[in-house]
Amino acid sequence: MTKPTIAVIGGTGAEGSGLAVRWAVAGYPIVIGSRSAEKAETVSAELAAGLPDGSAPITGLDNAAAAAAGEIVVLSVPYSAQSATVDQIVAGSQGKIVITVGVPLKPPKVSVFWQPEGGSAAAEAQAQLGENVRVVAAFQNISATHLLDLDWEPDCDVLVVGDDKAAKEVAIELAEAAGFFAVNAGPLANAPVVEGLTAVLIGINIRNKVKGSGIRLTGSPRD
């Protein structure tokens, strides 16, 4: 069965590109989105060149065109760029699932929880995209450090929150395709907790001089 095309908006960044590569290896065609179509094309060509045989293609377009081309849209941009980026993809995202990866961090204290005016980055994206878009938040608590290393086996879990059950199931499938264990963590109202854990993990990394700390659920079903 043909797998849906995923538009990774912000796919030129570390986390977006890492997820894009893992999904391409799993057979999902990828369209990298960037403010600059030229940059998207350059990065997508670099990523595609490193894919193993049998992977799905990775191509690049500007953000608006990428969102229109994708059947599923993944928003992986810094919180500071979220609003402006969402403006570019509103039209192309209508009727689709949008998975937000972003976390509201407030420099310079990025290791301290900070809640934006809209409650969470995911809730703000939902309000901006409109009710015809099903927003899900996922992948906030994974590090980009090892994503491009296809020999690395993820040892952390993904919490998935959203108000649409079917949309959350799609996000869980994508997390599993990327090699993670994922779990339905409830409605979009829980996004502040999931997003806020990232600040906690950043603090753990700093205080313990480690990279890529994540979360792992106990008492959860695994294959």
Side-chain angles (χ1 to χ4, degrees):
M1 186 173 67
T2 302
K3 293 182 178 178
T5 297
I6 304 173
V8 183
I9 308 302
T12 58
E15 187 151 3
S17 61
L19 289 171
V21 163
R22 288 179 169 265
W23 287 327
V25 171
Y28 292 86
I30 302 296
V31 181
I32 295 292
S34 175
R35 286 177 298 175
S36 163
E38 182 179 359
K39 182 176 181 180
E41 291 167 1
T42 298
V43 172
S44 64
E46 292 172 350
L47 296 176
L51 293 175
D53 292 341
S55 300
I58 300 179
T59 55
L61 295 168
D62 65 64
N63 286 331
E71 295 167 78
I72 300 167
V73 180
V74 175
L75 180 63
S76 180
V77 297
Y79 177 74
S80 59
Q82 177 175 292
S83 180
T85 303
V86 171
D87 275 343
Q88 297 168 14
I89 67 169
V90 169
S93 298
Q94 295 306 301
K96 300 175 183 178
I97 296 169
V98 172
I99 301 172
T100 68
V101 179
V103 173
L105 298 172
K106 190 171 185 178
K109 297 182 178 181
V110 295
S111 63
V112 177
F113 170 70
W114 174 73
Q115 191 169 14
E117 184 177 346
S120 68
E124 289 180 342
Q126 179 68 83
Q128 196 172 352
L129 288 164
E131 61 182 17
N132 197 36
V133 176
R134 295 175 288 166
V135 170
V136 176
F139 304 105
Q140 277 74 20
N141 309 137
I142 65 171
S143 170
T145 304
H146 303 293
L147 285 177
L148 286 172
D149 179 4
L150 296 177
D151 292 326
W152 175 70
E153 295 185 8
D155 57 355
C156 54
D157 299 333
V158 175
L159 301 178
V160 179
V161 298
D163 294 333
D164 186 277
K165 182 178 179 181
K168 285 189 286 188
E169 288 174 353
V170 169
I172 289 171
E173 288 175 7
L174 291 183
E176 292 172 346
F180 294 91
F181 174 77
V183 63
N184 180 345
L188 203 66
N190 287 346
V193 177
V194 175
E195 294 175 359
L197 281 173
T198 300
V200 175
L201 292 171
I202 290 172
I204 289 171
N205 288 341
I206 294 170
R207 286 186 289 274
N208 295 277
K209 296 180 173 59
V210 297
K211 290 184 178 181
S213 60
I215 61 170
R216 189 168 178 85
L217 302 175
T218 61
S220 298
R222 282 182 169 81
D223 293 336

